[in-house]
Amino acid sequence: MIRFICTASQEITKRSPKWATTSEMGELKLVRITTRVVLNLVLIRSRGKQRGKGKQDGHNKFPLTSLTSFSLSALSVQEESANEKKTIHFLKVSAPWDVLVYYAEELCLRAPLQQHLDLNTSSVVLKRLCVPNIMMESVPNRPLDYYTCAFRKSKMNRFLGSGDQDGYFTNTQRHQVVYEILARTVYGKRKRTEVGVDRLVNERAYTAAYPLHEGPFKLPSHKIHPDELNQRQVLHYYWARWCKWFKYQPLDHIREYFGEKIALYFAWLGFYTAWLLPAAIVGTLVFVSGVMEDICNSGAKYPMCPLCKTCDAWNMSDICTMAKLGYLFDHPGTVFFSVFMSFWAVTFLEFWKRKMATLAHHWDCMDFHEEEERPRPEFAATAPTVEENPVTGVKEPYFPEKTRLSRMFTGSMVIVLMLCVVIIFLVTVVMCRGVISVMMYQSGSPVLRTEAGTIANICSSIVNLGFILVMGQVYTALAEQLTKWEMHRTQTQHDNAFTLKVFIFQFVNFYSSPFYVAFFKGRFVGYPTNYGTLFGMRNEDCGPGGCLIELAEQLFIIMVGKQLINNIQEFIIPKVKAWRQKRTLASVLGDDEQDEPRRWEEDYKLVPCGGLFEEYLEMVLQFGFITIFVAAFPLAPLFALLNNWVEIRLDAHKFVCEYRRPVAERAQNIGVWFNILEALSHLSVIANAFLIAFTSDFLPRLLYQYKFSNDLNGYVNFTLAYAPLNYTDYPLCRYKAFRDNDGMYTLFYWELLAVRLGFIIAFEHVVFFVLRAIDWIVPDVPESLELKIKRERYLAKQALAENQEALLVS
């Protein structure tokens, strides 16, 4: 069975890499290389005409490709798809039983000892409650669950199924073994670390290296029993279709086909989506409770001071509708929802720890620790010197740490510069919003004058969203180049540095505008005769409905708009790339294309898998929106839930139908993203405390009820101050502030400030105390899992008992 494919084309390899030599008269040359396993490197002549001068020095110059095969009875086959002008070589590589056994022990793959039953937790709970479980579905060929231990060739007879050589190792384990050999193979000079298929792909010696899918994803036209479907068809029919949105994800099938790293992403996404359901229900109820309140007192007449230099005075009764809308996002229910979501975020992360531990054990990754990582191919190719690795004792490419730190410092300055660009654009948007508001006021239309602030806010939010998306793409490319320039030795260090850069920038990029509206807008307005200005323009004040409704508008446009655009991109872009790939292959095959294309040709038409970085980043930014600003936008969890139902099936369809099969990678957690989620959950507590204290009207209303009137009678009049007597443009006009006739703050303002600060301290201390209690009460590893771990260790000890007896005898 074919396990791995490498492809190379004439056009791609016309730039001969360092290790290529010229073959004379089309003769193949073999170069033998010795590693831990002896391997052959075969240089193959590409058929067809070479672009350029043709003959040089009396010899035909052909671009060369390489085919790696194993002397330990390894199998490799070459296929070609060609026309007169271009040839694509498909080099099929597979590992036989002896090679698999050798590397299974070296890579510490897990082998089955005893089967046991693993149950779905939610299905067990629903069954006990006698509730019909519509999410449950019987998926054929479910992988069995075993107690396992590290594979030992000497103990082969102790493991279950060891007599079945064809089915003993899973396909993903075979991919891992073949890829491990390809990654270790030396094709040039070891001192220059000319090692591995990844570097060959980077040097364009190969166009791609990928494992093959198990077969077509579409069901056959004739009737077939579900157990006869291949793994890809099972995933497509029972997971990647839109009609399965309410069903459990077949995580064991995903793990068996794609590996633990991708399966953990979908497990986390499904777990997060399930937890969004109660948050969405509570948020919707909080929003609806605000709709049922009527706070608009008809007949209220308060002449208000102009909102700009050229504007006219207006009447408080004109904004009754906006006041009602503002109350949807600013009422006592939002305070409760803020506390609820703070507890929700931390409880979600605590229970995800338990779920993550359960999956890590279930998928045999609990004790997984990556070996001493090899240097990245790009690092190896560009490192200036070679030094001995203190762990392995092997000479490896080396880059001075002092130089790397100086580069990281320089890169951080570039990051700060880019963040300043974001802030400058934010100021530009603020000024643009002011200009639009003035234009609306000067239009003369009563409707435009009344809704000027809302129209300006929506227009600026749309412009801001466009800038956010454009700058996000620009900065991601810049961050990638900066991270490469910093010369991190391993792929893990490289990925962590890249993730941190991009997240910091995207955090400021996406959240700077909401933070401005939530905590700065309307704070530096001043008062009549003493207005604050910025570049000659009066500082922005909150609209008629308050800053909270403007914040809700911003969050809705940025969050929902981003989700819609991302989903459209994820749906269209892979199809466009796949169309281009098909055209590339069709240009080679021409009329010779077969009615039933070969598997490697079909997979070559697919899009290379781009990894999980963009998927995690999108969800983590969404997590920030639904936790940090939830006091202003109770419907955020509902929109996130609807998006994630689409996101799961969209991502599933991409991986099953549109992506080449990625190399299976082992992982025991979601990595650095969990730390980012924890930081966001703690930041949300602080942000919501300040939002309720300084942006919401909850505390002013509460203090007024305590001091003056329990039914808020006269509250609106109390919150409005009179313009100073020397303000002659509109004498005795009103503006929203707790000031006296001279513009000085009243005693109530200072009392309210003390209450606000006290509320922040009390809110944070109570919430963080409860969060620590939840962290202490909820163990990271479930009790049932600890029992399974003990059982597995006992069985492993029994399997290795002879080794222990031999050790005692010696």
Side-chain angles (χ1 to χ4, degrees), residues 362-399:
H362 179 52
W363 293 339
D364 301 322
C365 290
M366 179 161 279
D367 296 327
F368 169 69
H369 298 286
E370 292 192 16
E371 302 174 353
E372 178 67 19
E373 287 189 79
R374 293 178 296 272
R376 292 186 307 114
E378 292 181 357
F379 174 84
T382 55
T385 59
V386 177
E387 287 194 7
E388 184 177 301
N389 187 316
V391 177
T392 62
V394 177
K395 286 191 175 182
E396 291 182 351
Y398 176 77
F399 191 80

Side-chain angles (χ1 to χ4, degrees), residues 242 245 567 641-651:
W242 295 104
W245 66 271
N567 287 336
L641 176 65
L642 297 176
N643 172 79
N644 289 5
W645 275 336
V646 175
E647 184 75 23
I648 290 176
R649 305 305 154 180
L650 197 60
D651 288 346

